[in-house]
């Protein structure tokens, strides 16, 4: 099992993100992922690429529906070139509420749109690298290379960049199995992985003549570690609660029998706003995060050994976390998992074979 970490980036100077990536690399982590909250995830990884030499660099995740596939393909190719082929393209639709309110688009027909989006991404890299690619006339996206390209192509670090699809619902998990190089999830307990995620991805893979082993399974699981267990739990309640109230998390909550607690938290959020998350039920925190003292957190991580390929320890960042508190969370993750992280290996060959 390979171990990665997310880089705090919602607040604080952007150059801090580059330094966090270097710290993760020096500590032996296999991967470092950023995320898209206002700041451009490709820009942050580009800076991290210059600061590092070996660590894999992933968008965890970049929103697809707020940018064109060709623009996203070029941005990912920039990071891949700057890093010498270390880019992992974590891709999602984008939050429906933000797509509508901030990006002049929506999340309608997400599975069909994402399927075509992935096709255009790969055609874009093929065209950029070779000058040739099959056109695509889809319902949502199209790709028609011009007959004359006066600029020529561009040098690519690799012909294709591995695409890790963010998926929690059945149809998107099926699409992941059919078309993606990897799966990027969250709130994935071993039980949820075995009973929901793996069977659905495997079914999609079979439709495309593939196998579950062809898809790198990667999860970003919230991690709050601190020598004082109550400090770790207090921090985890804020981050876990923030995520738990989103409807996409209901499948996990229902499977583990605390949908009632999630519904109560939603009702409290409507009354109290973000302050409600300080009261997130500890059952949710214990089940859906890697939280506790360093020893407890290492034991929780060990439960994923043999169940999943790649665990990314997700550093808390949501309001009211300050840049300083997120940085402290990150430092505690680095210190607690420094030795564990050195056991990582490489990506499966299928992740770069498309």
């Amino acid at each position: 099992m390979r171990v990665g970490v997310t880089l705090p980036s919602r607040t604080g100077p952007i150059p801090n993100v580059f330094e966090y990536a270097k710290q993760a690399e020096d500590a032996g982590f296999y991967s470092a992922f950023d995320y898209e909250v206002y700041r451009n995830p490709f820009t942050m990884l580009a800076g991290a690429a210059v600061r590092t030499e070996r660590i894999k660099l992933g968008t965890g995740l970049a929103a697809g529906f707020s940018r064109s596939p060709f623009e996203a393909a070029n941005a990912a190719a920039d990071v891949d070139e700057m890093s010498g082929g270390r880019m992992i393209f974590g891709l999602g639709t984008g939050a429906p509420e933000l797509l509508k309110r901030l990006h002049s688009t929506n999340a309608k027909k997400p599975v069909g749109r994402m399927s075509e989006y992935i096709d255009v991404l790969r055609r874009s890299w093929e065209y950029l690298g070779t000058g040739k690619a099959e056109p695509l006339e889809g319902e949502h996206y199209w790709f028609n290379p011009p007959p004359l390209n006066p600029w020529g192509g561009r040098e690519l670090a690799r012909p294709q960049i591995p695409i890790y699809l963010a998926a929690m619902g059945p149809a998107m998990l099926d699409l992941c199995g059919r078309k993606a190089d990897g799966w990027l999830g969250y709130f994935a307990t071993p039980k949820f992985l075995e009973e929901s995620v793996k069977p659905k991805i495997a079914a999609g893979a079979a439709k495309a003549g593939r196998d579950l082993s062809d898809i790198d399974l990667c999860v970003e699981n919230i991690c709050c570690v601190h020598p004082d267990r109550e400090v770790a739990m207090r921090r985890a309640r804020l981050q876990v609660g923030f995520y738990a109230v989103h409807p996409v998390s209901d499948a996990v909550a229902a499977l583990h029998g605390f949908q009632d607690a999630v519904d109560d938290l939603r009702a409290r959020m409507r009354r109290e706003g973000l302050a409600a998350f300080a009261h997130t039920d500890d059952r949710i925190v214990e089940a859906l995060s890697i939280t506790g003292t360093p020893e407890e957190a290492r034991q929780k991580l060990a439960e994923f050994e043999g169940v999943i390929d790649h665990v990314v320890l997700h550093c808390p960042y949501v309001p009211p976390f300050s840049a300083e508190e997120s940085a402290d969370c990150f430092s505690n993750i680095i210190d607690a998992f420094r030795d564990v992280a050195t056991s990582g290996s490489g990506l499966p060959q299928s992740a770069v074979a498309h």
Side-chain angles (χ1 to χ4, degrees), residues 196-216:
S196 183
V197 173
K198 287 185 176 181
K200 293 179 175 66
I201 293 179
K207 294 174 185 176
R210 308 170 72 200
D211 186 81
L212 180 63
S213 61
D214 294 325
I215 296 98
D216 189 48

